Amino acid sequence: MHALKKVSFNIEPGSICGLIGPNGAGKTTLIKLILGLLKPTEGKIKVFGKNKVDKNSKQQIGFLPEESYLYDFLSIRETVEFAAKLYTNKNHGLSRVEDLLKMVGLEGRDDRKISQCSKGMARRTALAQALVHDPKFIILDEPTSGFDPMGVSDMKSIMLSLKEEGKTILLCSHQLADIEAVCDNIVVFYEGNLVVNGSVQDLLKESKNNMYQIASEKRDLFESLLKNERIDYEFVRSNKGLENFFISSIKKWIANS
């Protein structure tokens, strides 16, 4: 049994790539392969142009896992400083702590113990921890988990700011509105297979070419006409662009496989 099957795609430097798919699609396996925590049984994975995820490559990767595993007895500042000291260039990391605390919205609250933090504050701390060594490639797994709407907005702004700095980001999320808002490209997985890979803008534009907008009060009339003509159809909400595309892509792949 293979967790991933003949998957092949590139992430362009300086871009934000969205990784989406239902539970069990193979997203976590892919992340572990990139991080060097798993080795592929077939094929190869290149990080920074290298076939092997070595120590030097890992020094340039930042990872925010879905769950924030932090030490309760440390303060926010101590947590970020502790992470900085784990890397080869620890002095550079320590010099970034102040700016990072400000970036993630924890300036002035950094003396609070992790045990006293809300989930949102813990996520902000974990993000600062993931960025402390100034990585070139950043993997974010459900980064808006635990955030209120204001926190979600802050996180999206941070991702776009990192992109402006030239960072490359792989964003794994079930929040498709967030993916649509910040990503340049998306990769859709289903049961270990790559279903769709391409530009968000182009894919949504192509999807809309096969859609027609009708007034809600006319739905019954159109439904009756389509049934009489035996035409396959589906009603979707017009304000759910990427969500509609994702669901229809998965259904189409299942039907053709």
Side-chain angles (χ1 to χ4, degrees):
M1 182 176 178
H2 292 83
L4 296 172
K5 307 163 190 175
K6 298 180 181 179
V7 170
S8 179
F9 69 96
N10 297 317
I11 302 175
E12 291 296 322
S15 70
I16 304 179
C17 178
L19 178 61
I20 58 179
N23 293 331
K27 304 185 300 295
T28 301
T29 299
L30 176 65
I31 289 173
K32 288 181 178 180
L33 287 167
I34 294 172
L35 294 172
L37 300 176
L38 291 177
K39 293 183 178 180
T41 52
E42 295 180 30
K44 58 188 176 182
I45 184 163
K46 286 188 176 183
V47 180
F48 304 119
K50 300 178 181 178
N51 289 329
K52 184 179 179 181
V53 186
D54 56 20
K55 183 178 179 181
N56 291 330
S57 296
K58 291 179 181 180
Q59 293 280 331
Q60 300 178 67
I61 300 175
F63 176 47
L64 175 67
E66 183 175 359
E67 296 293 334
S68 304
Y69 299 103
L70 307 175
Y71 293 115
D72 285 346
F73 57 87
L74 294 179
S75 69
I76 291 171
R77 176 177 289 274
E78 289 170 340
T79 298
V80 183
E81 289 177 343
F82 173 74
K85 293 174 184 177
L86 297 176
Y87 293 93
T88 303
N89 192 358
K90 65 179 182 180
N91 290 330
H92 178 58
L94 290 169
S95 71
R96 286 170 47 81
V97 171
E98 207 67 49
D99 288 339
L100 284 171
L101 290 172
K102 185 176 181 179
M103 175 194 282
V104 300
L106 293 174
E107 186 181 31
R109 296 185 284 176
D110 52 284
D111 59 343
R112 185 176 299 191
K113 298 292 185 184
I114 296 298
S115 60
Q116 300 171 332
C117 289
S118 65
K119 185 173 181 180
M121 290 181 69
R123 292 300 280 167
R124 291 174 187 267
T125 304
L127 177 62
Q129 191 180 54
L131 301 175
V132 73
H133 56 299
D134 199 15
K136 294 180 180 179
F137 181 32
I138 303 161
I139 302 173
L140 304 175
D141 192 0
E142 300 293 348
T144 57
S145 173
F147 279 129
D148 57 27
M150 200 69 182
V152 172
S153 177
D154 288 344
M155 178 60 77
K156 288 191 282 192
S157 295
I158 289 171
M159 286 188 277
L160 291 173
S161 295
L162 291 168
K163 177 189 170 182
E164 288 179 4
E165 293 176 14
K167 308 295 187 185
T168 304
I169 301 174
L170 179 62
L171 170 60
C172 180
S173 178
H174 290 301
Q175 304 303 317
L176 300 186
D178 298 343
I179 295 277
E180 187 173 352
V182 302
C183 289
D184 302 293
N185 301 289
I186 57 168
V187 181
V188 179
F189 275 43
Y190 182 74
E191 293 187 348
N193 297 278
L194 194 158
V195 176
V196 176
N197 173 28
S199 158
V200 174
Q201 186 176 359
D202 291 344
L203 291 172
L204 290 182
K205 183 178 179 181
E206 181 182 331
S207 174
K208 287 177 181 177
N209 287 338
N210 298 317
M211 295 177 65
Y212 299 90
Q213 189 169 353
I214 62 170
S216 58
E217 61 270 18
K218 301 288 185 180
R219 173 169 173 157
D220 291 343
L221 173 61
F222 273 86
E223 190 165 17
S224 176
L225 290 171
L226 292 168
K227 283 182 176 178
N228 288 338
E229 296 297 325
R230 297 183 180 180
I231 297 173
D232 291 333
Y233 67 93
E234 181 180 7
F235 288 108
V236 296
R237 292 174 62 182
S238 60
N239 63 341
K240 297 285 186 178
L242 187 57
E243 181 178 321
N244 293 335
F245 174 78
F246 169 68
I247 293 172
S248 64
S249 296
I250 296 296
K251 287 182 177 178
K252 188 183 296 183
W253 187 90
I254 293 172
N256 294 334
S257 62

